[in-house]
């Protein structure tokens, strides 16, 4: 028997995920245009693998295929995995990454809505630990022609030291670790553009456009992007003010790595994130601070993925401790 | 005048669908061939039937006497003959039955003698009694007795009249305010006087500009003694929820489990104000109400319907279209589908909607919750509905209560917005009913344990009493024996073999006597003084211990002065 309400808003998980994919398009377009169209190949591979893996696990779990495949959530996960990886990772790295995300992180924990960890971020962490050298090969923006990119993705011989370099974050970290240079000198290197990695620094603009779209559509709320960006800017700004020679500027930190992708698309994953308004702020600010600490003092050039997983672990506690007051329990009763 | 309004959290904007019936003026519904007047006009209390089968009743004649604290009187909605008294299905999601008086109208619709109530010549208490005996209950749906609400104390500053009517499709209050604004305002003035309010705020959603206009005009004409403001509030479901409307108009938030009176504000529906006006000014008890008939229908409209009219009698009035598959009572957000169309209209029934699969399509398949939080953003009670969903689903009811399950007003906003199409409210209804059932079970178990323990105690007590009685009897016999002992002693010994029964009885009595008497060990003769002292000490302790070991009532019953006797009866 069906009970009230008998009317429903025309909303669906499919519509939510579809809008997230739509919002990723500006960033993807800038990526393909400035850095290399090979990203589209990896996106296609990841999409197919994700749907196949989803269907396979659903079959194993004896669940209906159509609703889960149609909800587009697997495609979102796949795209986020690819957008965190270097453009030219071989197809099998993409495949493993997506399989980790879909099979291990999502379905082994019970499927959509059940995973405590962000699937894309676990995939990133697994692959960067398993294949650190492949994950360090970032081609300079626009310098590889599409055929070369395709060959590399399809498993072609990788004599790539000639053609790939470190990311801006990696170059900065290495430069500062060596201790021979200060920030200003390092920024002279070829890897750097005006504010971040040469060419790559424009991609965040696309993510910001997409993020504002998601905000306008009410798919995400302001809490996480604002808290994450503020926290990352605040901690990097504080150390930069103390010692601008040894610490890069907040702008550099916001424009490099996956900071903007994370701010609007990754940390905002509702399943693995905090849910209360205050909880979202704590969760996102925690990621910003941890990401900065890992970038500046940790073993990896990019720390967002680890930061996200660490904060994922805190979500149950954060949610428990930040339950908002209910109607009649908080505002003064007489205005 | 621009008034500062307040906001409540969340809310949704379902399609209003008011235009279908909003232009149709109120018309009297035709008299049915039989009225089924429930004696239970709300879930709270049933009236005591005071008519008999075969009796002729007049319109407005009391047929049920208010009983209990929450009782209100029930009246014959028209003149006619009582043809049956018995259980009848009620308009309730579970298809519950309740006692009802069946009346066959005589077609004359003849009123009893009506006497207006003169408040100036009477006191507050008799005013409340008058409203109770006129059968006035809240007409917004809950049918809570108005005299109870009004009796919570005087000195309430603000009276709120709820004309928000936020549920889609329903237009009965809209029409009432448009057509009988003066009566509603007069009823509001009476209510304000009873609670001693200093101002009246009339809240109407701004999608009913004609009602706002009509009520403003009525206020201007009435020239009330106290400030009365007709306020257009933003149309946002559920702005017509009592607590939500109070919040919007006054900024006051009344927490769950509290009544408005504690916060100096009291809220009544426009229909209730109208009924109060009729009851006080004309002496008319509440025997009819406005019902909207709408939905998948050719001729939607608003009708003045006698309480007790079977719903199936009303359906032809709206001309349901052929693809109508069921009828909803109430609005689409909080109403329910009728399983039995013979159920009567009661005082809280505001709308019947003809539903079709096109108008109210079945919900898409339920998908997993993705914790998007859309429900939390829509919840006017500021709950975390998805958390309640997890807890209800996993039957973790304690946790659900910790997360304020019972603050949920079941408005349906969360289900309305859920992108995974989860029937969230159904989960909360389930959890609430499970918790109630468990509480009932545990109360029943407590009672059973109390009874069991009392039974044990009683058996113990009876045994002790019996033993005491026996002992007393034995002592009596022994005393008798002692009288004759001197004479019979030799005989007894001599005749021992002749009368072994008697001898045995005598010996047993002697043993009993020995046991009854303070036991003195035989080996205490000729002891040294230290030993004597020690024995005396032990004896004292023993006496003390004996004194404390009287049979005692068991723990559960020690606080219960009535003992368990009452519980057993």
């Amino acid at each position: 028997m069906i009970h009230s309400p008998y009317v429903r808003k025309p909303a669906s998980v499919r519509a939510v995920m579809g809008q997230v994919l739509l919002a990723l398009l500006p960033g993807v377009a800038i990526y393909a245009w400035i850095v290399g169209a090979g990203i589209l190949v990896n996106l296609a591979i990841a999409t197919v693998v994700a749907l196949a893996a989803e269907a396979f696990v659903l079959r194993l779990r004896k669940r209906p295929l159509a609703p889960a495949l149609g909800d587009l959530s697997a495609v979102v996960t796949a795209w986020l995995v690819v957008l965190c990886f270097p453009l030219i990772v071989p197809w099998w790295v993409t495949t493993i990454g997506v399989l980790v995300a879909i099979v291990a992180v999502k379905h082994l924990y019970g499927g959509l809505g059940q995973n405590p960890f962000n699937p894309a971020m676990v995939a990133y962490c697994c692959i960067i630990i398993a294949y650190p050298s492949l994950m360090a090969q970032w081609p300079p923006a626009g310098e590889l022609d599409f055929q070369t990119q395709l060959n590399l993705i399809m498993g072609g011989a990788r004599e790539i030291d000639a053609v790939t370099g470190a990311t801006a974050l990696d170059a900065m970290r290495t430069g500062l670790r060596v201790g021979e240079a200060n920030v200003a000198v390092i920024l002279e290197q070829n890897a750097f553009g005006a504010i971040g990695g040469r060419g790559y620094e424009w991609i965040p603009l696309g993510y910001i456009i997409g993020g504002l779209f998601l905000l306008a559509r009410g798919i995400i709320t302001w809490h996480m992007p604002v808290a994450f960006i503020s926290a990352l800017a605040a901690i990097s700004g504080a150390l930069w003010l103390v010692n601008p020679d040894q610490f890069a500027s907040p702008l550099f930190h916001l424009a490099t790595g996956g900071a903007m992708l994370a701010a609007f698309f990754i940390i905002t994953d509702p399943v693995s994130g905090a849910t209360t308004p205050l909880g979202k702020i704590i969760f996102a600010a925690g990621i910003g601070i941890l990401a900065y600490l890992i970038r500046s003092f940790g073993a990896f050039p990019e720390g967002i993925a680890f930061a996200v997983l660490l904060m994922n672990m805190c979500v149950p506690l954060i949610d428990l401790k930040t339950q908002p007051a209910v109607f009649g329990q908080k505002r003064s009763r007489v205005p | 005048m621009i008034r500062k309004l307040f906001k409540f959290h969340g809310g949704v904007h379902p399609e209003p669908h008011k235009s279908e019936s909003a232009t149709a003026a109120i018309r009297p519904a035709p008299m049915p061939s039989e009225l089924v007047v429930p004696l239970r006009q709300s879930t709270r209390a049933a009236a005591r039937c005071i008519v008999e089968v075969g009796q002729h009743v007049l319109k407005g004649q009391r047929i049920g006497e208010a009983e209990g604290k929450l009782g209100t009187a029930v009246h014959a909605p028209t003149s006619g003959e009582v043809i049956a008294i018995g259980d009848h299905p009620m308009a309730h999601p579970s298809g519950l039955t309740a006692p009802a008086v069946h009346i066959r109208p005589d077609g004359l619709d003849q009123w009893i003698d009506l006497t207006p109530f003169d408040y100036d010549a009477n006191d507050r208490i008799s005013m409340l009694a008058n409203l109770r005996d006129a059968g006035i209950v809240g007409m917004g749906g809950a049918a809570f007795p108005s005299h109870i609400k009004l009796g919570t104390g005087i000195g309430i500053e603000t009276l709120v009249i709820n004309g928000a009517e936020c549920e889609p499709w329903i237009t009965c209050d809209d029409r009432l305010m448009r057509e009988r604004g003066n009566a509603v305002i007069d009823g509001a003035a009476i209510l304000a006087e009873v609670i001693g309010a200093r101002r009246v705020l009339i809240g109407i959603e701004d999608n009913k500009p004609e009602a706002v206009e009509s009520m403003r005009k009525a206020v201007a004409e009435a020239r009330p003694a106290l400030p009365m403001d007709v306020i257009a509030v933003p149309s946002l479901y559920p702005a017509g929820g009592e607590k939500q409307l109070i919040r919007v108009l006054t900024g006051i938030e009344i927490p769950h489990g509290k009544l408005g009176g504690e916060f100096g504000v009291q809220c009544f529906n426009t229909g209730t104000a109208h009924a109060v006006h009729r009851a006080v000014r004309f002496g008319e008890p509440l025997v009819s109400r406005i019902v909207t008939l709408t939905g998948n229908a050719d001729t939607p409209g608003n009708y003045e319907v006698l309480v007790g009219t079977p719903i199936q009698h009303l359906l032809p009035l709206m001309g349901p279209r052929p693809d109508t598959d069921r009828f909803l009572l109430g609005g689409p957000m909080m109403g329910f589908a009728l399983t039995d169309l013979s159920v009567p209209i009661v005082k809280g029934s505001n709308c019947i909607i003809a539903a079709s699969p096109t108008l109210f399509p079945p919900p898409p398949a339920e998908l997993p919750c993705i914790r998007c939080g859309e429900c939390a953003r829509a919840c006017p009670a500021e709950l975390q509905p998805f958390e309640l969903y997890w807890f209800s689903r996993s039957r973790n009811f304690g946790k659900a209560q910790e997360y304020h399950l019972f603050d949920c007003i079941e408005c349906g906003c969360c289900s309305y917005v859920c992108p995974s199409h989860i029937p969230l409210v159904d989960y909360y209804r389930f959890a609430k009913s499970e918790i109630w059932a468990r509480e009932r079970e545990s109360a029943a178990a407590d009672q059973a344990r109390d009874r069991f323990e009392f039974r044990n105690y009683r058996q113990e007590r009876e045994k002790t009493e019996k033993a005491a009685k026996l002992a007393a009897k034995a002592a009596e016999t022994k005393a008798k024996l002692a009288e004759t002992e001197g004479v019979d002693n030799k005989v007894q010994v001599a005749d021992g073999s002749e009368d072994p029964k008697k001898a045995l009885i005598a010996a047993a009595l002697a043993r009993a006597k020995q046991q009854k008497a303070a036991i003195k060990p035989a080996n205490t003769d000729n002891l040294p003084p230290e030993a004597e002292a020690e024995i005396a000490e032990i004896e004292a302790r023993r006496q003390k211990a004996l004194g404390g070991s009287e049979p005692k009532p068991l723990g559960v019953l020690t606080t219960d002065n009535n003992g368990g006797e009452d519980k057993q009866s």
Side-chain angles (χ1 to χ4, degrees), chain A residues 2-9 11-13 67 112-114 218 221 270-271 273 275-276 280 315 319-320 323-331 333 335, chain B residues 247 250 252-255 263 326 332-333 335-337 363 367-371 377 380-384 386 403-404 407 412 415-416 419-421 426 429:
Chain A
I2 304 155
H3 296 101
S4 60
Y6 295 92
V7 282
R8 284 170 176 278
K9 198 176 167 180
S12 65
V13 176
L112 182 65
Q114 306 281 347
T221 60
V271 174
T275 52
T276 64
K280 285 177 178 179
V315 163
D319 275 352
L320 181 70
Q323 282 299 310
V326 302
F327 182 88
Q329 302 287 353
K330 73 178 137 194
R331 281 178 274 243
R333 49 190 221 194
Chain B
R247 164 74 192 159
T250 67
I252 298 168
E253 281 190 8
I254 298 159
F263 298 84
R326 67 217 142 118
M333 293 298 287
F336 58 92
L367 290 173
C369 170
I370 55 168
R371 291 161 47 96
R377 287 192 285 284
E382 295 172 71
L383 305 172
Q384 300 283 304
F386 58 92
Y403 278 68
H404 310 283
D407 284 43
S415 302
Y416 179 80
S420 291
H421 312 121
D426 285 353
R429 290 186 186 118

Side-chain angles (χ1 to χ4, degrees), chain A residues 56-96:
Chain A
F56 174 70
V57 183
L58 287 168
R59 177 67 56 86
L60 281 184
R61 296 178 64 203
K62 299 186 174 66
R63 298 289 165 103
L65 296 189
L69 287 179
D71 69 20
L72 299 178
S73 63
V75 181
V76 170
T77 304
W79 284 25
L80 292 176
V81 169
V82 169
L83 292 174
C84 301
F85 285 4
L87 158 66
I88 49 163
V89 289
W91 63 270
W92 53 269
V93 170
T94 307
T95 303
I96 294 172

Side-chain angles (χ1 to χ4, degrees), chain B residues 178-253:
Chain B
R178 288 200 213 184
E179 297 178 37
R180 304 179 193 171
N182 296 320
V184 175
I185 292 299
D186 183 60
I190 297 166
L191 288 167
E193 203 183 337
V194 175
I195 59 173
R198 282 200 287 268
R199 60 169 182 168
V200 179
L201 304 178
I202 300 153
I204 305 170
E205 272 195 349
D206 57 13
N207 60 8
K208 290 180 271 297
E210 296 90 348
V212 173
E213 202 45 52
S214 155
M215 293 292 276
R216 286 200 174 133
K217 201 165 133 257
V219 170
E221 283 169 10
R223 296 198 214 173
L226 72 173
M228 273 198 185
D229 285 330
V230 178
I231 302 151
V233 302
S235 301
L236 174 67
Y237 178 86
E242 181 173 294
K243 290 180 176 179
Q244 279 67 38
L245 187 64
I246 289 173
R247 164 74 192 159
V248 169
L249 294 176
T250 67
I252 298 168
E253 281 190 8

Side-chain angles (χ1 to χ4, degrees), chain A residues 124-174:
Chain A
Y124 177 89
C125 292
C126 287
I127 301 296
I128 205 168
I129 290 165
Y131 307 103
S133 62
L134 285 174
M135 288 293 277
Q137 292 166 354
W138 293 81
E143 287 191 11
L144 295 182
D145 61 33
F146 183 67
Q147 192 56 49
T148 317
Q149 295 170 29
L150 199 58
N151 284 343
L152 291 167
I153 291 168
M154 288 310 163
R158 301 179 82 81
E159 294 164 15
I160 32 180
D161 280 353
V163 289
T164 66
T167 62
L169 273 175
D170 206 4
M172 178 66 73
R173 183 171 156 280
T174 316

Side-chain angles (χ1 to χ4, degrees), chain B residues 123-442:
Chain B
D123 63 355
R124 214 172 97 80
I125 301 297
S126 51
M127 174 61 141
L128 297 178
N130 177 59
L131 293 177
R132 180 194 64 205
D133 293 338
I136 308 291
V137 297
M139 295 177 77
F144 189 79
S146 299
H147 69 280
I148 299 294
K149 235 174 167 181
L150 290 166
T152 50
I154 46 169
I156 285 163
E157 181 171 315
T158 308
L159 170 68
V160 169
I161 297 295
N162 187 346
E165 203 166 55
C166 60
E167 271 255 20
W169 294 98
I170 308 176
T171 56
C172 58
D173 288 351
D174 184 9
R175 287 313 307 186
L176 187 72
M177 290 186 287
R178 288 200 213 184
E179 297 178 37
R180 304 179 193 171
N182 296 320
V184 175
I185 292 299
D186 183 60
I190 297 166
L191 288 167
E193 203 183 337
V194 175
I195 59 173
R198 282 200 287 268
R199 60 169 182 168
V200 179
L201 304 178
I202 300 153
I204 305 170
E205 272 195 349
D206 57 13
N207 60 8
K208 290 180 271 297
E210 296 90 348
V212 173
E213 202 45 52
S214 155
M215 293 292 276
R216 286 200 174 133
K217 201 165 133 257
V219 170
E221 283 169 10
R223 296 198 214 173
L226 72 173
M228 273 198 185
D229 285 330
V230 178
I231 302 151
V233 302
S235 301
L236 174 67
Y237 178 86
E242 181 173 294
K243 290 180 176 179
Q244 279 67 38
L245 187 64
I246 289 173
R247 164 74 192 159
V248 169
L249 294 176
T250 67
I252 298 168
E253 281 190 8
I254 298 159
H256 170 68
K258 302 273 185 189
L259 294 170
E262 294 177 47
F263 298 84
V265 54
Q266 203 64 276
C267 179
F268 290 90
N269 175 263
T270 46
T272 316
H274 178 258
V276 167
H277 159 81
R278 298 301 303 181
V280 173
R281 302 294 182 216
F282 301 94
E284 280 178 22
L286 176 49
V287 292
S288 70
R289 65 156 298 137
I290 317 296
V291 178
T292 301
L293 305 176
T294 185
N296 187 44
D298 290 324
T299 52
N302 303 283
Y303 291 87
E304 174 120 33
V305 180
L306 296 178
V307 168
T309 305
I311 281 174
Q312 60 200 8
H313 173 77
L314 297 171
L315 302 178
L317 296 175
M318 64 165 128
R321 296 195 180 119
D323 60 333
T324 300
D325 61 346
R326 67 217 142 118
F327 293 91
L328 309 183
L329 183 65
M333 293 298 287
M334 291 186 75
F336 58 92
L338 291 162
T339 49
D340 183 343
L341 295 175
S342 74
V343 302
I345 289 288
V346 291
K347 292 171 182 176
S349 317
N350 48 15
C351 182
I352 299 164
I353 302 175
S356 71
T358 334
L359 216 48
F360 302 107
E366 186 179 336
L367 290 173
C369 170
I370 55 168
R371 291 161 47 96
C372 65
E374 199 61 37
C375 49
R377 287 192 285 284
C379 180
E382 295 172 71
L383 305 172
Q384 300 283 304
F386 58 92
E387 302 274 18
L388 291 175
Y389 159 71
W390 292 117
F391 296 138
S392 303
R393 204 184 130 114
S394 56
R395 296 172 162 263
N396 192 346
F397 298 127
K399 212 70 175 134
Q401 277 175 281
E402 255 177 59
Y403 278 68
H404 310 283
L405 173 67
F406 284 97
D407 284 43
C408 168
I409 56 171
E410 298 180 24
C411 65
C413 287
C414 51
S415 302
Y416 179 80
V417 298
C418 180
S420 291
H421 312 121
I422 301 169
L424 292 159
V425 184
D426 285 353
Y427 282 95
Y428 313 145
R429 290 186 186 118
F430 159 75
K432 285 180 185 177
S433 59
E434 281 292 296
I435 292 167
W436 285 324
R438 282 178 189 202
E439 272 168 13
R440 274 195 299 272
E441 258 170 44
S442 114

Side-chain angles (χ1 to χ4, degrees), chain A residues 230-251 253 289 292 297:
Chain A
S230 310
L232 184 56
I235 187 167
S236 57
L239 286 158
W240 174 64
L241 284 176
V242 170
N243 188 350
D245 285 343
Q246 287 301 308
F247 296 100
S249 74
L251 198 57
H253 276 284
I289 290 165
Y292 179 80
F297 308 106

